[in-house]
Amino acid sequence: MPWQLPESWSQILADELRQPYFSRLQEFVDGQRRESTVYPPAEDMFQAFALTPYEQVRVLLLGQDPYHDQGQAHGLCFSVRPGVPAPPSLVNILRELRDDLGCEFPDHGCLAAWARQGVLLLNTVLTVRAHEPNSHRNRGWERFTDAVIRRVQDKPQPVVFVLWGQPARKKAALIDPARHTIVQSAHPSPLSARRGFFGSRPFSAVNRALVRHGLAPIDWPLPALEPRS
């Protein structure tokens, strides 16, 4: 059931899932999958929600469009599967992670370890046609993911929202800064990383905010891949 959200999220988003636009979105994406290749695979479309239950969300890191080349997107923003070369934006994220925390540069770009610690790795659009960036924009995903952001901001405990780049930073309007912390900077893409992403030290900033809120920090260094037998 590709369109079945994990239970904690289906309950909190029940009203949204019943809206007519969401049915139209399903029809559009399912039709696209019949006609062409769509990323991520259907079984990974809601992977961010599967790895980070609603009640466990401590950080929301917001991306934009999924990766659109073969084997890259797997439902977590900025992340790629183990063994897949890191795209340029992810390389810059891992470089800033190294410079911020002094950890070794990892041998992979899979961010699932962050998701399992309560970092919701959410894209604003959850699907894309192969090799056609932004091809599924303005079809309903933005309304759905705005609802996700609102539900997270409604949580009783504070959350840290990480907004990189102008499109993500516009979502600050959905967040109450008196209750939550917003960590924002330029986008990590090669076009903008040198204009404010490099040197922003977002990972230590998130952890300082979590500790200030009385929550455990994130263990950001990515664990090494298990060697293949």
Side-chain angles (χ1 to χ4, degrees):
M1 296 291 291
W3 287 92
Q4 182 63 48
L5 278 165
E7 184 176 0
S8 70
W9 288 100
S10 62
Q11 291 178 355
I12 206 74
L13 292 165
D15 290 344
E16 204 67 28
L17 299 176
R18 287 193 288 265
Q19 296 297 317
Y21 87 88
F22 196 76
S23 296
R24 293 193 295 270
L25 174 62
Q26 290 185 51
E27 292 172 3
F28 168 73
V29 174
D30 289 346
Q32 290 278 285
R33 290 194 189 278
R34 288 191 294 270
E35 298 168 4
S36 59
T37 300
V38 171
Y39 298 128
E43 62 271 17
D44 288 336
M45 190 165 52
F46 294 132
Q47 183 75 339
F49 304 95
L51 292 183
T52 313
Y54 177 75
E55 60 274 7
Q56 294 180 18
V57 176
R58 294 185 282 151
V59 178
L60 189 155
L61 198 166
L62 189 64
Q64 298 173 31
D65 209 39
Y67 295 130
H68 55 83
D69 285 335
Q70 183 176 1
Q72 293 180 322
H74 66 124
L76 307 177
C77 73
F78 295 111
S79 180
V80 292
R81 294 182 183 280
V84 175
S89 290
L90 179 54
V91 170
N92 288 340
I93 291 169
L94 299 176
R95 174 180 165 184
E96 181 64 18
L97 173 65
R98 179 196 62 194
D99 294 348
D100 185 359
L101 300 180
C103 55
E104 292 185 10
F105 202 89
D107 59 356
H108 64 93
C110 181
L111 307 182
W114 296 355
R116 294 189 180 99
Q117 295 180 71
V119 181
L120 181 64
L121 296 168
L122 180 69
N123 275 316
T124 53
V125 174
L126 300 190
T127 55
V128 66
R129 269 196 312 274
H131 317 303
E132 296 184 47
N134 305 320
S135 51
H136 285 187
R137 280 191 178 178
N138 301 318
R139 293 289 186 165
W141 278 129
E142 293 90 344
R143 179 172 171 180
F144 172 74
T145 53
D146 278 1
V148 173
I149 294 169
R150 290 190 181 96
R151 298 305 190 280
V152 172
Q153 109 89 38
D154 288 343
K155 284 171 66 78
Q157 68 268 36
V159 174
V160 183
F161 291 83
V162 182
L163 309 178
W164 290 332
Q166 197 57 37
R169 293 166 77 171
K170 289 179 180 178
K171 303 298 183 181
L174 305 175
I175 303 160
D176 179 3
R179 296 183 55 242
H180 305 288
T181 297
I182 299 173
V183 174
Q184 54 185 321
S185 73
H187 194 272
S189 76
L191 296 175
S192 57
R194 296 187 184 280
R195 299 201 298 267
F197 177 74
F198 287 142
S200 62
R201 304 179 72 88
F203 306 99
S204 56
V206 168
N207 279 354
R208 284 195 303 272
L210 288 171
V211 171
R212 190 166 63 246
H213 294 318
L215 301 171
I218 303 298
D219 185 16
W220 291 110
L222 295 175
L225 294 177
E226 293 290 333
R228 293 183 178 179
S229 55

